[in-house]
Amino acid sequence: MVARVALGLFGVLAVIGGAMLTAMVVNYFWGSGYVPELDEIGGWGTLAGAVALGIYVGGVVKAHPGYRVLGGVLAGVVGFGVTSNIATLVSLTAGRGGPRGNLEDGSLGFIWMVAGVFFVWVALKGRWPVSATRG
């Protein structure tokens, strides 16, 4: 039960942070300009998304608890690296400087926002985490 609450909490934080970064990039390109507050707060949401990914993977792995923790930590680190690289690739479509940096942050935020929605849904669904026993 504690793992499900933690997954839901970090999922909600990922949704909020991702939405802030997405709003920041929309405001930058079609609004009044750069809003640094959204960038700073939203950045923590992307880290919360990586933690949620680690919690999710740790709950899915059917193994010894030590392997679950190791798998979760590795999934969080690798997941954050992969999403950062995807956001960097997306940002190459924008001009150098501010546009590219903002598009990268917004893309990263959008990815973790969608992932956060998934984590919240899984936490509310009630079929996660899986049992460590083998059937």
Side-chain angles (χ1 to χ4, degrees):
M1 182 65 178
V2 173
R4 190 174 303 135
V5 171
L7 179 67
L9 175 68
F10 282 105
V12 167
L13 292 174
V15 170
I16 292 170
M20 287 182 164
L21 288 176
T22 303
M24 180 198 70
V25 77
V26 168
N27 190 49
Y28 181 81
F29 285 110
W30 295 286
S32 60
Y34 178 66
V35 182
E37 295 82 14
L38 293 177
D39 188 24
E40 186 165 330
I41 296 170
W44 289 105
T46 61
L47 293 177
V51 171
L53 176 64
I55 293 170
Y56 175 77
V57 169
V60 170
V61 174
K62 290 185 179 185
H64 185 273
Y67 292 133
R68 286 179 166 216
V69 170
L70 180 62
V73 169
L74 287 175
V77 170
V78 170
F80 190 80
V82 168
T83 57
S84 295
N85 287 334
I86 291 170
T88 300
L89 288 174
V90 169
S91 74
L92 293 177
T93 61
R96 291 185 179 183
R100 187 172 288 174
N102 279 287
L103 185 58
E104 181 176 350
D105 291 344
S107 300
L108 185 64
F110 182 77
I111 293 168
W112 284 113
M113 180 180 66
V114 172
V117 168
F118 170 75
F119 297 138
V120 169
W121 177 71
V122 166
L124 293 175
K125 191 173 178 185
R127 295 183 185 174
W128 179 94
V130 297
S131 171
T133 60
R134 295 187 186 254

